[in-house]
Amino acid sequence: MTICNLFWALNNEFSNNGDRLPVVENAETVEGKYNKQRKSHHVDINQTENISYPFSCPENYNPDAYPGRIAEDILCMKRPKFLENMKNPCWKEKDRMRCLPYFQIVGVCRSGVADLYNRMLMHPKIVGNTGPHSRETDFWSWKRYGLSFFDIRLINYGDFYTLSDFSNFFEQIQRRSKEENKYDLITGHADSMDFWQAFDWRKIPQNNPKSTAPTYTTPDLIKHINTNIKIILMIRDPVERLYSQYIHDKRFIIRELEPDRNIPDDLYVRRVSEQKLPLVAGLYNEFLKNWLKVFKKEQFLIINFEDYIKDTGGVMAKVFAFLDVDSVDESTITKMSCSKKIHVPIFNSKVLPMLDSTKTLLRRFYEKSQVGLQNLLKKYKIEMSIKPIMVNGKAIDCSKHYISNEREL
């Protein structure tokens, strides 16, 4: 039995056991369309340097050949020549400056991604983007393939975002660098599906559309155009992560679950991975292997959600060291540590813990992947320990700074 036997369904209200995570049987496909108009311009490839790959590209690749109608051929684009006087990857294009992100939080949803990013923006050297919540772009997994998440549905809207559209999300750092005459600012984004959601890989020209699995996926595209990007991955107990997402979304339920499955064969099957409450998002080992084949391990910072909750200040200090930005003063690190967390799950009379039988089934499902993850971390010698932060020689006491009645998660 393969992972294609995992299906999902919409449920406008909680079921009779809506406070639990049920296993049910039937489902339906949700599809839709809407049109979005915008002015699109492609990156000026004459301002870039070439790179060679084990495949051929058109001698004179023209990204404007099919504007907004097909996914841009990123792997046949030339890499921008970044400005040497700026820490963030930016380049001059005609009469303007364009930028790409210095860092990216690639996932995983319901693991503290939004909360971490919001705290990072408290650092004076880190600039937000112009996407939703100054955080998201939806580019690598959705918009470059003509997809958008709209009204709780992932839909085709027929307009394909380009690398220039992506660059437009990072206009704030262009403006601030010029206005403040500061060239050590950095920017980034947090798209929690990019780590695992790559089901439109057949739209990448270098992949064989008749194959059952891709040769090139999101990490290959990112590495091609932004070689030295720093990547942050937040992971969480996959069972708790799944239930947290169920509570947060409230509309999706598991339909059918088969723990004895062939994971690698079906990771990139669209109808498996496209749903809003994805089981595959917790298969960290399978996806991390692919990312580590593309990027150096030194470009990765992997954070345990449980460590983040326990010692937020320690995690923030590790993040800033990883990004090579200045440490912050005691007042700022205290604020970062003690600000109320967003999207934290609340269990009450309406939202009870998961049924033990469902939790057991999910534990079986994730068991092999979890063991594989630990082996992978050991193989690459990836260090995940957190050094506690001390203020005035003492651990930060947040009870003096705020009352912890955190918002819904």
Side-chain angles (χ1 to χ4, degrees):
M1 190 69 69
T2 71
I3 201 171
C4 283
N5 288 93
L6 307 177
F7 298 103
W8 310 90
L10 276 172
N11 183 25
N12 291 327
E13 304 292 339
F14 283 114
S15 63
N16 292 334
N17 272 341
D19 52 335
R20 314 269 185 169
L21 186 58
V23 178
V24 295
E25 292 185 356
N26 297 313
E28 63 184 79
T29 302
V30 178
E31 295 180 351
K33 277 190 177 181
Y34 79 102
N35 295 318
K36 180 177 180 179
Q37 300 297 324
R38 81 186 193 294
K39 188 176 181 180
S40 175
H41 298 284
H42 289 277
V43 166
D44 183 355
I45 60 173
N46 295 320
Q47 299 293 320
T48 56
E49 63 183 57
N50 205 358
I51 320 161
S52 60
Y53 271 102
F55 52 78
S56 59
C57 291
E59 185 174 344
N60 296 308
Y61 170 64
N62 179 16
D64 289 308
Y66 305 98
R69 287 162 36 203
I70 62 172
E72 195 172 46
D73 191 350
I74 295 288
L75 292 178
C76 277
M77 295 184 69
K78 298 177 182 179
R79 184 178 298 142
K81 293 180 180 178
F82 298 131
L83 299 172
E84 295 182 359
N85 66 330
M86 290 196 66
K87 183 172 185 175
N88 198 86
C90 299
W91 72 99
K92 284 290 182 70
E93 181 182 298
K94 296 180 180 178
D95 59 346
R96 64 167 295 180
M97 183 169 69
R98 287 192 175 277
C99 295
L100 293 175
Y102 178 86
F103 70 89
Q104 178 179 356
I105 307 178
V106 296
V108 178
C109 42
R110 311 310 305 157
S111 299
V113 170
D115 191 80
L116 172 65
Y117 188 89
N118 286 354
R119 290 170 203 275
M120 291 171 65
L121 292 183
M122 297 181 192
H123 194 290
K125 299 293 186 181
I126 299 179
V127 182
N129 59 61
T130 59
H133 314 295
S134 299
R135 179 178 71 240
E136 301 161 352
T137 69
D138 298 346
F139 176 73
W140 290 109
S141 297
W142 295 348
K143 289 185 175 178
R144 73 172 306 269
Y145 299 114
L147 300 171
S148 184
F149 196 73
F150 178 75
D151 190 26
I152 72 161
R153 294 170 296 174
L154 191 60
I155 64 174
N156 292 291
Y157 65 89
D159 203 3
F160 293 73
Y161 270 49
T162 67
L163 189 65
S164 287
D165 294 318
F166 180 56
S167 173
N168 289 340
F169 283 110
F170 307 104
E171 291 179 339
Q172 287 188 28
I173 193 170
Q174 303 166 23
R175 176 179 53 78
R176 280 192 53 184
S177 295
K178 183 177 181 180
E179 290 177 355
E180 301 173 20
N181 198 28
K182 293 180 179 179
Y183 300 99
D184 58 349
L185 302 177
I186 62 173
T187 189
H189 64 114
D191 287 299
S192 57
M193 65 285 191
D194 285 350
F195 178 65
W196 60 273
Q197 196 171 55
F199 53 75
D200 266 317
W201 55 268
R202 287 184 174 85
K203 294 179 182 178
I204 299 173
Q206 289 74 21
N207 284 327
N208 180 357
K210 296 182 180 180
S211 177
T212 58
T215 301
Y216 300 98
T217 55
T218 299
D220 297 285
L221 305 184
I222 296 174
K223 175 67 178 292
H224 175 85
I225 210 71
N226 197 359
T227 304
N228 297 317
I229 190 170
K230 292 180 179 286
I231 300 167
I232 300 173
L233 171 65
M234 298 192 73
I235 58 176
R236 179 180 186 176
D237 178 294
V239 176
E240 298 300 326
R241 189 214 69 79
L242 185 69
Y243 193 50
S244 176
Q245 190 164 2
Y246 167 69
I247 295 170
H248 181 260
D249 296 331
K250 295 183 178 68
R251 301 190 180 194
F252 293 80
I253 56 177
I254 293 180
R255 280 213 284 195
E256 188 174 315
L257 180 61
E258 173 54 61
D260 299 319
R261 78 286 181 237
N262 185 356
I263 291 175
D265 288 349
D266 294 318
L267 284 180
Y268 300 102
V269 175
R270 177 163 182 165
R271 67 187 178 93
V272 168
S273 62
E274 70 180 337
Q275 301 301 329
K276 184 68 168 62
L277 185 63
L279 209 70
V280 295
L283 299 172
Y284 311 132
N285 174 57
E286 310 299 334
F287 295 104
L288 185 57
K289 283 189 294 187
N290 293 335
W291 283 80
L292 287 172
K293 289 177 183 177
V294 177
F295 290 98
K296 300 175 183 178
K297 73 167 187 175
E298 290 78 14
Q299 290 178 258
F300 262 93
L301 176 62
I302 304 178
I303 301 169
N304 263 322
F305 172 81
E306 291 75 15
D307 291 337
Y308 179 69
I309 295 299
K310 182 179 179 181
D311 187 3
T312 303
V315 169
M316 298 309 301
K318 189 170 184 177
V319 167
F320 298 145
F322 171 70
L323 296 178
D324 192 27
V325 294
D326 296 335
S327 56
V328 295
D329 57 39
E330 292 182 349
S331 174
T332 303
I333 196 66
T334 299
K335 181 180 179 182
M336 289 179 178
S337 301
C338 298
S339 297
K340 293 180 181 180
K341 292 180 172 58
I342 63 172
H343 304 312
V344 179
I346 294 177
F347 295 97
N348 52 36
S349 59
K350 293 185 178 180
V351 183
L352 300 177
M354 189 189 307
L355 287 169
D356 290 340
S357 57
T358 305
K359 183 177 292 188
T360 299
L361 190 58
L362 288 169
R363 293 278 178 221
R364 286 183 57 205
F365 178 81
Y366 288 118
E367 181 179 14
K368 189 180 295 185
S369 180
Q370 286 295 91
V371 172
L373 175 64
Q374 295 306 312
N375 292 336
L376 189 65
L377 295 175
K378 289 179 181 178
K379 174 183 177 181
Y380 283 90
K381 298 180 180 178
I382 295 176
E383 177 59 51
M384 297 180 63
S385 61
I386 303 297
K387 183 179 179 180
I389 286 293
M390 310 296 284
V391 174
N392 296 324
K394 298 180 181 180
I396 297 175
D397 182 6
C398 288
S399 64
K400 298 179 180 180
H401 299 278
Y402 79 108
I403 299 175
S404 178
N405 71 342
E406 296 157 328
R407 286 188 278 163
E408 173 267 338
L409 210 174

